[in-house]
Amino acid sequence: MTIARDKLRWNGWGRLGESVGFSRVRESYLREQLGHRLGLRLAPAAMPVALESIRLPPTKLGQSTLCALRAVCGEGGVRTSAFERITHALGKSLPDLLRLRRGEIGALPEVVVYPPDENGVAAVLRIAREGQLAVVTFGGGTSVVGGVEARAAPGQSGVLVLDTTRLDALIAIDPSSATATFQAGIDGPALEAELVARGRTLGHFPQSFEHSTLGGWIATRSSGQFSNAYGGIEELVVSMRVITPEGALRTVSVPRSAAGPDLNALLVGSEGTLGVIVEATLRTSPLPLVHDERGMLFRSFPESLAAVREVVQHGIPLSLLRASDATETELAQLLRRDPGRRFDLGALALRAASRAGYGPGRSVVLYGAEEMTRKAAGQHAAGARRCLRAAGGLPLGRAPGRAWRRDRFRTPYLRDWLLDQGLAVDTLETAAPWSRVERLHSGVIRALQDAMEAHAGAGIAMGHLSHSYRDGACLYFTILFPIDPARDLLQWSEIKREATDAILGEGGTLSHHHGVGSDHSSWMPVEKGALGMRALHAMKDALDPSGMMNPGKLL
Amino acid sequence: MTIARDKLRWNGWGRLGESVGFSRVRESYLREQLGHRLGLRLAPAAMPVALESIRLPPTKLGQSTLCALRAVCGEGGVRTSAFERITHALGKSLPDLLRLRRGEIGALPEVVVYPPDENGVAAVLRIAREGQLAVVTFGGGTSVVGGVEARAAPGQSGVLVLDTTRLDALIAIDPSSATATFQAGIDGPALEAELVARGRTLGHFPQSFEHSTLGGWIATRSSGQFSNAYGGIEELVVSMRVITPEGALRTVSVPRSAAGPDLNALLVGSEGTLGVIVEATLRTSPLPLVHDERGMLFRSFPESLAAVREVVQHGIPLSLLRASDATETELAQLLRRDPGRRFDLGALALRAASRAGYGPGRSVVLYGAEEMTRKAAGQHAAGARRCLRAAGGLPLGRAPGRAWRRDRFRTPYLRDWLLDQGLAVDTLETAAPWSRVERLHSGVIRALQDAMEAHAGAGIAMGHLSHSYRDGACLYFTILFPIDPARDLLQWSEIKREATDAILGEGGTLSHHHGVGSDHSSWMPVEKGALGMRALHAMKDALDPSGMMNPGKLL
């Protein structure tokens, strides 16, 4: 098993012992600055409860069911300890963390099982079906949309969490087809290590990369930080095997087919509601030897957006292309600032930029290329630079690129620090055609700001363009608001509802890469239409007639 | 209506008056050469019957149904003439042409209706449902897999053909998102003309381009000759509107979404079995100003395959990349040869190539780039040339590229000439991972050759690689065999069956771009698996509960 959950924070993000690592001086500076921006004095939050202090009811499962599960998964593969049940109860969304920190978990599985192989998965599904248990498939468990909440539907006798992380093998490499077949419970670093050893890469780096699994990527339709170069997970999957309650489903390993509708596209994004993804064949790319990432400053976010659009539509082959709005540009600067440091080159550069007309409202664009040779990377980065400069950009050199690469998997740790300061952090994302992106951004920021004012008295809303396409882009929003411990979950759900309504109202999709889970499921009929939902429900009923797979999510 | 069916050949390919245009001398030369290769003397086929001589039973539809249809589509939009019923009875497959030429059509619609708009389509479906009529949606009608055969299921009272070609408008252009929205009945040339006028292209050029519609491309998951650069139709569709018997279904216009399974991918390739595609929004590209297409000779087809794989996996951005096997290379040369011409530069070049070791068994590769500048096109073509030469290729210059571009929409006319000579022509295609392509080719060629020997006494089987991907390629096979008029349809179906078994047995997909239709539908459970079929049937039942949409096709 490549994921060792006892080395991970159970009520926060990532590895134990790892954190944003602010010094005391920076902590108090940041507290002061954030308080100032929010117009309030930050009060540290209550200490999170210890896992050991959480009292759980004993599992409701009888010995016969546990015995049957042990016969399939072995003694160690069937777990009912408080640690296992709590760490498999929820994902990593803001409301999940709020509940975990308070020890009021709500949802709780009766058992966590680790099937050793595909037949074990099928056997577990049979046992769960007989016992009328809901099955929640759990890989890395990093969902931020309530995708793995251990909740049963009415009439079901409880939740069995099927942990896939024992299914972590490389099954086959097809060198001439440049594909690799893995079991789906392998995590990001282990999968990449196998490929890198062969001079290849999947090129799929969602922010959860270090702690999420291949199966999770497929189930949630994830997209990585370098999707401009490698595509989303749907473009990387050649074929897969899925164990449904009605049996095994496999798609064919061919580069393209016109043999009717594409079943891969039905299974990618199915969020554990149809079956358990146990295996997938993936397209790999040559491992890039050189990367070149840089920053460029624009006078405003709309100018950044226009410039990024130019670059994408010119077909310049970049791996990275991001643009932060004014608030995020400023806040990122604040977070990087160390008041203990006397000489701050970045701050000096920005002051110079201000004098050059790139003052308040400015917006940072990050762009980069990954290639086999320095020449190719430089050529593409130079092509982008020309295009961005022509659109009004001021080059910031490589420093912003280096900082981004260094911190790209670390920003989620910031959320835990902010929660300790009594500040809630949540992220939302969507995608829209270019013709709507600017309005979508301002509309959602306004909705978020209004909702935070109304439900939390204050708040900071910011955003960036995170993924781009010839026909549109993904906008990623981050919000910060003071937690009212008496009604924090309500604060969150009200803000979430108003923001999501704004997203759909402005022509954005419900999610570009986080998925639907339980948080977005009530908006699915708006996204898919009544008839689209009927078609999806019909397919669900065909593969999971008893409705045991991840109830309450997606559909 | 951009398609004028009275200007088209009703029992053959393409425009009236257009043909391969062989001179008498070339005709007799080709007859002799083909006869020699088949080991027989070609006897001209019986003259095809005239359309006027075909006796049809009168339409079974009552006046009340016709009246209701006329209220929706207008007087001219509801047609029961022999011409309309015959031209909408079948597609353009070999068995279709054999039946049309003999005037034994078999399937026949009761009525052909031309709805004026989306509401008209919905109204026609309601009338058809009330009258228990099957509905076959008909765009260009160029299916080569029995996709538009006017056949009802047991219990249905007849077939209504819904001709979409009145829905041929450009609806909207979104310049900043680089997308365009068209009604689905527009044909290829009209659609491209609208885009070219704006400096854009869809870049989608299936061989049927001149006579097929946008809706047909989507319904059949078509792929064009330049798919290396622009992708298959599934990559070009942003969103669509489909009128099903249960109402309208629309997908959202966003560049990407993680809001559950991708409904576009379930509708692309649905072959008229779920509903009528009435509108689609498409990604467009800048119109290339320069194209550069060239030929390269290899000693054998396996060498060609390896070379093409190198080029694709190096990521060289080409628009065209094809490789003909030895038989096709030789036959293409034969077809181009004009014995009346004294000086044949191509033949001289090939003789020189033979002396250089590129003799029998040799294989031609075509490659080309489309770009905005001569420099870019030249750069990519040069990159490919270097790669191909390193893999053992002998450059043939631009002449083969020019010949291919000139004839790329004309080869289907050859089939009619060959039918006149008593020779059947059929094509089959598939795709597979690179690791299987070579074996797939030899296995299918052997199966075709054996089947033609067994069922026609002789035959020529040849193939080419027509579309390539990093992980695999499409193989396209052409067969030629002498027709036995007493049992030609049986000859065809036996050969087809044995070849298709071989394709699936060697790990190929049932179709890379022709689709399933009625010809391939019995193999669908092999391709999709029992459970995959159950999911697809469930979706079909949700959208078309009475099974009225294109019965007997696909599923």
Side-chain angles (χ1 to χ4, degrees), chain B residues 143-173:
Chain B
S143 172
V144 289
V145 292
V148 292
E149 194 175 4
R151 208 172 277 285
Q156 290 171 335
S157 59
V159 173
L160 175 151
V161 168
L162 190 158
D163 186 306
T164 59
T165 55
R166 260 170 99 181
L167 304 170
D168 63 355
L170 166 64
I171 295 173
I173 293 274

PDB file of all heavy atoms in Angstrom, chain B residues 143-173:
ATOM      1  N   SER B 143     -23.835   6.627 -45.143  1.00  0.00           N
ATOM      2  CA  SER B 143     -23.389   5.514 -44.300  1.00  0.00           C
ATOM      3  C   SER B 143     -22.906   4.338 -45.146  1.00  0.00           C
ATOM      4  O   SER B 143     -23.546   3.954 -46.118  1.00  0.00           O
ATOM      5  CB  SER B 143     -24.519   5.038 -43.394  1.00  0.00           C
ATOM      6  OG  SER B 143     -24.140   3.852 -42.717  1.00  0.00           O
ATOM      7  N   VAL B 144     -21.792   3.742 -44.756  1.00  0.00           N
ATOM      8  CA  VAL B 144     -21.326   2.527 -45.431  1.00  0.00           C
ATOM      9  C   VAL B 144     -21.442   1.308 -44.520  1.00  0.00           C
ATOM     10  O   VAL B 144     -20.827   0.272 -44.773  1.00  0.00           O
ATOM     11  CB  VAL B 144     -19.863   2.660 -45.934  1.00  0.00           C
ATOM     12  CG1 VAL B 144     -19.810   3.612 -47.115  1.00  0.00           C
ATOM     13  CG2 VAL B 144     -18.937   3.106 -44.830  1.00  0.00           C
ATOM     14  N   VAL B 145     -22.230   1.437 -43.458  1.00  0.00           N
ATOM     15  CA  VAL B 145     -22.409   0.302 -42.543  1.00  0.00           C
ATOM     16  C   VAL B 145     -23.886   0.017 -42.271  1.00  0.00           C
ATOM     17  O   VAL B 145     -24.247  -0.537 -41.240  1.00  0.00           O
ATOM     18  CB  VAL B 145     -21.678   0.552 -41.193  1.00  0.00           C
ATOM     19  CG1 VAL B 145     -20.174   0.545 -41.398  1.00  0.00           C
ATOM     20  CG2 VAL B 145     -22.133   1.861 -40.550  1.00  0.00           C
ATOM     21  N   GLY B 146     -24.741   0.416 -43.226  1.00  0.00           N
ATOM     22  CA  GLY B 146     -26.174   0.164 -43.027  1.00  0.00           C
ATOM     23  C   GLY B 146     -26.782   1.030 -41.934  1.00  0.00           C
ATOM     24  O   GLY B 146     -27.741   0.633 -41.284  1.00  0.00           O
ATOM     25  N   GLY B 147     -26.237   2.225 -41.762  1.00  0.00           N
ATOM     26  CA  GLY B 147     -26.688   3.082 -40.659  1.00  0.00           C
ATOM     27  C   GLY B 147     -28.010   3.782 -40.894  1.00  0.00           C
ATOM     28  O   GLY B 147     -28.630   4.254 -39.941  1.00  0.00           O
ATOM     29  N   VAL B 148     -28.454   3.881 -42.161  1.00  0.00           N
ATOM     30  CA  VAL B 148     -29.698   4.615 -42.441  1.00  0.00           C
ATOM     31  C   VAL B 148     -30.720   3.749 -43.191  1.00  0.00           C
ATOM     32  O   VAL B 148     -31.669   4.274 -43.782  1.00  0.00           O
ATOM     33  CB  VAL B 148     -29.438   5.909 -43.244  1.00  0.00           C
ATOM     34  CG1 VAL B 148     -28.689   6.922 -42.390  1.00  0.00           C
ATOM     35  CG2 VAL B 148     -28.651   5.635 -44.523  1.00  0.00           C
ATOM     36  N   GLU B 149     -30.516   2.451 -43.156  1.00  0.00           N
ATOM     37  CA  GLU B 149     -31.459   1.561 -43.837  1.00  0.00           C
ATOM     38  C   GLU B 149     -32.860   1.779 -43.263  1.00  0.00           C
ATOM     39  O   GLU B 149     -33.048   1.782 -42.044  1.00  0.00           O
ATOM     40  CB  GLU B 149     -31.017   0.119 -43.611  1.00  0.00           C
ATOM     41  CG  GLU B 149     -31.688  -0.875 -44.517  1.00  0.00           C
ATOM     42  CD  GLU B 149     -31.122  -2.288 -44.338  1.00  0.00           C
ATOM     43  OE1 GLU B 149     -30.272  -2.468 -43.441  1.00  0.00           O
ATOM     44  OE2 GLU B 149     -31.532  -3.181 -45.081  1.00  0.00           O
ATOM     45  N   ALA B 150     -33.844   1.937 -44.141  1.00  0.00           N
ATOM     46  CA  ALA B 150     -35.211   2.274 -43.704  1.00  0.00           C
ATOM     47  C   ALA B 150     -35.961   1.012 -43.293  1.00  0.00           C
ATOM     48  O   ALA B 150     -36.816   0.516 -44.023  1.00  0.00           O
ATOM     49  CB  ALA B 150     -35.948   3.005 -44.822  1.00  0.00           C
ATOM     50  N   ARG B 151     -35.621   0.512 -42.122  1.00  0.00           N
ATOM     51  CA  ARG B 151     -36.200  -0.740 -41.685  1.00  0.00           C
ATOM     52  C   ARG B 151     -36.892  -0.542 -40.337  1.00  0.00           C
ATOM     53  O   ARG B 151     -36.336   0.073 -39.432  1.00  0.00           O
ATOM     54  CB  ARG B 151     -35.109  -1.793 -41.555  1.00  0.00           C
ATOM     55  CG  ARG B 151     -35.602  -3.204 -41.778  1.00  0.00           C
ATOM     56  CD  ARG B 151     -34.469  -4.186 -41.823  1.00  0.00           C
ATOM     57  NE  ARG B 151     -33.821  -4.292 -43.121  1.00  0.00           N
ATOM     58  CZ  ARG B 151     -34.341  -4.925 -44.166  1.00  0.00           C
ATOM     59  NH1 ARG B 151     -35.541  -5.473 -44.103  1.00  0.00           N
ATOM     60  NH2 ARG B 151     -33.667  -5.010 -45.301  1.00  0.00           N
ATOM     61  N   ALA B 152     -38.101  -1.085 -40.214  1.00  0.00           N
ATOM     62  CA  ALA B 152     -38.852  -0.972 -38.969  1.00  0.00           C
ATOM     63  C   ALA B 152     -38.634  -2.224 -38.129  1.00  0.00           C
ATOM     64  O   ALA B 152     -38.271  -3.277 -38.648  1.00  0.00           O
ATOM     65  CB  ALA B 152     -40.334  -0.795 -39.266  1.00  0.00           C
ATOM     66  N   ALA B 153     -38.847  -2.090 -36.834  1.00  0.00           N
ATOM     67  CA  ALA B 153     -38.792  -3.256 -35.949  1.00  0.00           C
ATOM     68  C   ALA B 153     -40.151  -3.944 -35.968  1.00  0.00           C
ATOM     69  O   ALA B 153     -41.159  -3.333 -36.362  1.00  0.00           O
ATOM     70  CB  ALA B 153     -38.437  -2.801 -34.536  1.00  0.00           C
ATOM     71  N   PRO B 154     -40.195  -5.218 -35.568  1.00  0.00           N
ATOM     72  CA  PRO B 154     -41.481  -5.915 -35.500  1.00  0.00           C
ATOM     73  C   PRO B 154     -42.462  -5.113 -34.640  1.00  0.00           C
ATOM     74  O   PRO B 154     -42.091  -4.589 -33.591  1.00  0.00           O
ATOM     75  CB  PRO B 154     -41.118  -7.241 -34.810  1.00  0.00           C
ATOM     76  CG  PRO B 154     -39.661  -7.434 -35.054  1.00  0.00           C
ATOM     77  CD  PRO B 154     -39.075  -6.075 -35.140  1.00  0.00           C
ATOM     78  N   GLY B 155     -43.679  -5.003 -35.121  1.00  0.00           N
ATOM     79  CA  GLY B 155     -44.696  -4.270 -34.360  1.00  0.00           C
ATOM     80  C   GLY B 155     -44.830  -2.819 -34.773  1.00  0.00           C
ATOM     81  O   GLY B 155     -45.817  -2.162 -34.475  1.00  0.00           O
ATOM     82  N   GLN B 156     -43.810  -2.306 -35.474  1.00  0.00           N
ATOM     83  CA  GLN B 156     -43.905  -0.927 -35.949  1.00  0.00           C
ATOM     84  C   GLN B 156     -44.616  -0.931 -37.297  1.00  0.00           C
ATOM     85  O   GLN B 156     -44.536  -1.907 -38.054  1.00  0.00           O
ATOM     86  CB  GLN B 156     -42.504  -0.303 -36.055  1.00  0.00           C
ATOM     87  CG  GLN B 156     -41.895  -0.065 -34.668  1.00  0.00           C
ATOM     88  CD  GLN B 156     -40.436   0.344 -34.725  1.00  0.00           C
ATOM     89  OE1 GLN B 156     -39.734   0.034 -35.685  1.00  0.00           O
ATOM     90  NE2 GLN B 156     -39.986   1.020 -33.682  1.00  0.00           N
ATOM     91  N   SER B 157     -45.308   0.179 -37.596  1.00  0.00           N
ATOM     92  CA  SER B 157     -46.170   0.151 -38.773  1.00  0.00           C
ATOM     93  C   SER B 157     -45.475   0.632 -40.045  1.00  0.00           C
ATOM     94  O   SER B 157     -46.091   0.655 -41.107  1.00  0.00           O
ATOM     95  CB  SER B 157     -47.417   0.988 -38.503  1.00  0.00           C
ATOM     96  OG  SER B 157     -47.043   2.306 -38.214  1.00  0.00           O
ATOM     97  N   GLY B 158     -44.210   0.976 -39.952  1.00  0.00           N
ATOM     98  CA  GLY B 158     -43.495   1.434 -41.134  1.00  0.00           C
ATOM     99  C   GLY B 158     -42.404   2.401 -40.726  1.00  0.00           C
ATOM    100  O   GLY B 158     -42.171   2.630 -39.532  1.00  0.00           O
ATOM    101  N   VAL B 159     -41.740   2.949 -41.740  1.00  0.00           N
ATOM    102  CA  VAL B 159     -40.605   3.835 -41.463  1.00  0.00           C
ATOM    103  C   VAL B 159     -40.896   5.241 -41.960  1.00  0.00           C
ATOM    104  O   VAL B 159     -41.325   5.432 -43.105  1.00  0.00           O
ATOM    105  CB  VAL B 159     -39.319   3.310 -42.136  1.00  0.00           C
ATOM    106  CG1 VAL B 159     -38.186   4.312 -41.990  1.00  0.00           C
ATOM    107  CG2 VAL B 159     -38.924   1.959 -41.553  1.00  0.00           C
ATOM    108  N   LEU B 160     -40.664   6.207 -41.099  1.00  0.00           N
ATOM    109  CA  LEU B 160     -40.659   7.605 -41.498  1.00  0.00           C
ATOM    110  C   LEU B 160     -39.199   8.049 -41.537  1.00  0.00           C
ATOM    111  O   LEU B 160     -38.471   7.853 -40.560  1.00  0.00           O
ATOM    112  CB  LEU B 160     -41.442   8.428 -40.470  1.00  0.00           C
ATOM    113  CG  LEU B 160     -41.455   9.951 -40.631  1.00  0.00           C
ATOM    114  CD1 LEU B 160     -42.770  10.510 -40.061  1.00  0.00           C
ATOM    115  CD2 LEU B 160     -40.273  10.648 -39.951  1.00  0.00           C
ATOM    116  N   VAL B 161     -38.771   8.566 -42.674  1.00  0.00           N
ATOM    117  CA  VAL B 161     -37.413   9.108 -42.735  1.00  0.00           C
ATOM    118  C   VAL B 161     -37.477  10.607 -42.472  1.00  0.00           C
ATOM    119  O   VAL B 161     -38.238  11.335 -43.121  1.00  0.00           O
ATOM    120  CB  VAL B 161     -36.735   8.832 -44.092  1.00  0.00           C
ATOM    121  CG1 VAL B 161     -35.457   9.665 -44.236  1.00  0.00           C
ATOM    122  CG2 VAL B 161     -36.377   7.354 -44.211  1.00  0.00           C
ATOM    123  N   LEU B 162     -36.698  11.015 -41.470  1.00  0.00           N
ATOM    124  CA  LEU B 162     -36.630  12.425 -41.111  1.00  0.00           C
ATOM    125  C   LEU B 162     -35.366  12.994 -41.744  1.00  0.00           C
ATOM    126  O   LEU B 162     -34.252  12.705 -41.304  1.00  0.00           O
ATOM    127  CB  LEU B 162     -36.627  12.556 -39.588  1.00  0.00           C
ATOM    128  CG  LEU B 162     -36.801  13.947 -38.998  1.00  0.00           C
ATOM    129  CD1 LEU B 162     -37.307  13.848 -37.556  1.00  0.00           C
ATOM    130  CD2 LEU B 162     -35.568  14.801 -39.078  1.00  0.00           C
ATOM    131  N   ASP B 163     -35.557  13.749 -42.817  1.00  0.00           N
ATOM    132  CA  ASP B 163     -34.428  14.344 -43.526  1.00  0.00           C
ATOM    133  C   ASP B 163     -34.095  15.677 -42.857  1.00  0.00           C
ATOM    134  O   ASP B 163     -34.937  16.553 -42.739  1.00  0.00           O
ATOM    135  CB  ASP B 163     -34.810  14.537 -45.006  1.00  0.00           C
ATOM    136  CG  ASP B 163     -33.630  15.026 -45.842  1.00  0.00           C
ATOM    137  OD1 ASP B 163     -33.024  16.059 -45.486  1.00  0.00           O
ATOM    138  OD2 ASP B 163     -33.308  14.369 -46.851  1.00  0.00           O
ATOM    139  N   THR B 164     -32.848  15.822 -42.411  1.00  0.00           N
ATOM    140  CA  THR B 164     -32.476  16.998 -41.609  1.00  0.00           C
ATOM    141  C   THR B 164     -31.982  18.172 -42.445  1.00  0.00           C
ATOM    142  O   THR B 164     -31.609  19.205 -41.887  1.00  0.00           O
ATOM    143  CB  THR B 164     -31.323  16.639 -40.648  1.00  0.00           C
ATOM    144  OG1 THR B 164     -30.206  16.198 -41.441  1.00  0.00           O
ATOM    145  CG2 THR B 164     -31.725  15.561 -39.672  1.00  0.00           C
ATOM    146  N   THR B 165     -31.965  18.014 -43.773  1.00  0.00           N
ATOM    147  CA  THR B 165     -31.187  18.971 -44.556  1.00  0.00           C
ATOM    148  C   THR B 165     -31.811  20.366 -44.683  1.00  0.00           C
ATOM    149  O   THR B 165     -31.167  21.270 -45.222  1.00  0.00           O
ATOM    150  CB  THR B 165     -30.850  18.402 -45.954  1.00  0.00           C
ATOM    151  OG1 THR B 165     -32.069  18.016 -46.603  1.00  0.00           O
ATOM    152  CG2 THR B 165     -29.935  17.211 -45.842  1.00  0.00           C
ATOM    153  N   ARG B 166     -33.041  20.528 -44.180  1.00  0.00           N
ATOM    154  CA  ARG B 166     -33.550  21.911 -44.114  1.00  0.00           C
ATOM    155  C   ARG B 166     -32.960  22.665 -42.925  1.00  0.00           C
ATOM    156  O   ARG B 166     -33.019  23.896 -42.872  1.00  0.00           O
ATOM    157  CB  ARG B 166     -35.073  21.904 -43.984  1.00  0.00           C
ATOM    158  CG  ARG B 166     -35.793  22.171 -45.285  1.00  0.00           C
ATOM    159  CD  ARG B 166     -37.252  21.904 -45.127  1.00  0.00           C
ATOM    160  NE  ARG B 166     -38.039  23.106 -44.892  1.00  0.00           N
ATOM    161  CZ  ARG B 166     -39.362  23.056 -44.698  1.00  0.00           C
ATOM    162  NH1 ARG B 166     -40.005  21.894 -44.704  1.00  0.00           N
ATOM    163  NH2 ARG B 166     -40.033  24.178 -44.506  1.00  0.00           N
ATOM    164  N   LEU B 167     -32.438  21.929 -41.964  1.00  0.00           N
ATOM    165  CA  LEU B 167     -31.812  22.553 -40.786  1.00  0.00           C
ATOM    166  C   LEU B 167     -30.358  22.832 -41.125  1.00  0.00           C
ATOM    167  O   LEU B 167     -29.461  22.113 -40.694  1.00  0.00           O
ATOM    168  CB  LEU B 167     -31.898  21.608 -39.584  1.00  0.00           C
ATOM    169  CG  LEU B 167     -33.283  21.127 -39.174  1.00  0.00           C
ATOM    170  CD1 LEU B 167     -33.188  20.026 -38.130  1.00  0.00           C
ATOM    171  CD2 LEU B 167     -34.097  22.283 -38.630  1.00  0.00           C
ATOM    172  N   ASP B 168     -30.132  23.867 -41.928  1.00  0.00           N
ATOM    173  CA  ASP B 168     -28.770  24.053 -42.453  1.00  0.00           C
ATOM    174  C   ASP B 168     -28.220  25.440 -42.197  1.00  0.00           C
ATOM    175  O   ASP B 168     -27.388  25.932 -42.940  1.00  0.00           O
ATOM    176  CB  ASP B 168     -28.753  23.739 -43.952  1.00  0.00           C
ATOM    177  CG  ASP B 168     -29.645  24.689 -44.737  1.00  0.00           C
ATOM    178  OD1 ASP B 168     -30.333  25.522 -44.106  1.00  0.00           O
ATOM    179  OD2 ASP B 168     -29.663  24.585 -45.971  1.00  0.00           O
ATOM    180  N   ALA B 169     -28.660  26.048 -41.098  1.00  0.00           N
ATOM    181  CA  ALA B 169     -28.249  27.434 -40.845  1.00  0.00           C
ATOM    182  C   ALA B 169     -27.046  27.525 -39.913  1.00  0.00           C
ATOM    183  O   ALA B 169     -26.844  26.679 -39.047  1.00  0.00           O
ATOM    184  CB  ALA B 169     -29.408  28.208 -40.237  1.00  0.00           C
ATOM    185  N   LEU B 170     -26.269  28.558 -40.123  1.00  0.00           N
ATOM    186  CA  LEU B 170     -25.284  28.986 -39.130  1.00  0.00           C
ATOM    187  C   LEU B 170     -26.063  29.753 -38.071  1.00  0.00           C
ATOM    188  O   LEU B 170     -26.760  30.727 -38.385  1.00  0.00           O
ATOM    189  CB  LEU B 170     -24.248  29.902 -39.784  1.00  0.00           C
ATOM    190  CG  LEU B 170     -23.346  30.696 -38.830  1.00  0.00           C
ATOM    191  CD1 LEU B 170     -22.473  29.764 -37.999  1.00  0.00           C
ATOM    192  CD2 LEU B 170     -22.463  31.673 -39.615  1.00  0.00           C
ATOM    193  N   ILE B 171     -25.978  29.335 -36.830  1.00  0.00           N
ATOM    194  CA  ILE B 171     -26.771  29.968 -35.773  1.00  0.00           C
ATOM    195  C   ILE B 171     -26.004  31.089 -35.095  1.00  0.00           C
ATOM    196  O   ILE B 171     -26.525  32.163 -34.842  1.00  0.00           O
ATOM    197  CB  ILE B 171     -27.216  28.918 -34.723  1.00  0.00           C
ATOM    198  CG1 ILE B 171     -28.173  27.910 -35.388  1.00  0.00           C
ATOM    199  CG2 ILE B 171     -27.885  29.570 -33.531  1.00  0.00           C
ATOM    200  CD1 ILE B 171     -28.539  26.756 -34.497  1.00  0.00           C
ATOM    201  N   ALA B 172     -24.747  30.839 -34.771  1.00  0.00           N
ATOM    202  CA  ALA B 172     -23.973  31.858 -34.053  1.00  0.00           C
ATOM    203  C   ALA B 172     -22.483  31.607 -34.197  1.00  0.00           C
ATOM    204  O   ALA B 172     -22.045  30.469 -34.359  1.00  0.00           O
ATOM    205  CB  ALA B 172     -24.344  31.841 -32.570  1.00  0.00           C
ATOM    206  N   ILE B 173     -21.754  32.695 -34.135  1.00  0.00           N
ATOM    207  CA  ILE B 173     -20.291  32.638 -34.082  1.00  0.00           C
ATOM    208  C   ILE B 173     -19.885  33.282 -32.767  1.00  0.00           C
ATOM    209  O   ILE B 173     -20.416  34.338 -32.417  1.00  0.00           O
ATOM    210  CB  ILE B 173     -19.682  33.432 -35.266  1.00  0.00           C
ATOM    211  CG1 ILE B 173     -20.005  32.748 -36.609  1.00  0.00           C
ATOM    212  CG2 ILE B 173     -18.194  33.653 -35.081  1.00  0.00           C
ATOM    213  CD1 ILE B 173     -19.037  31.670 -37.018  1.00  0.00           C
TER     214      ILE B 173
END
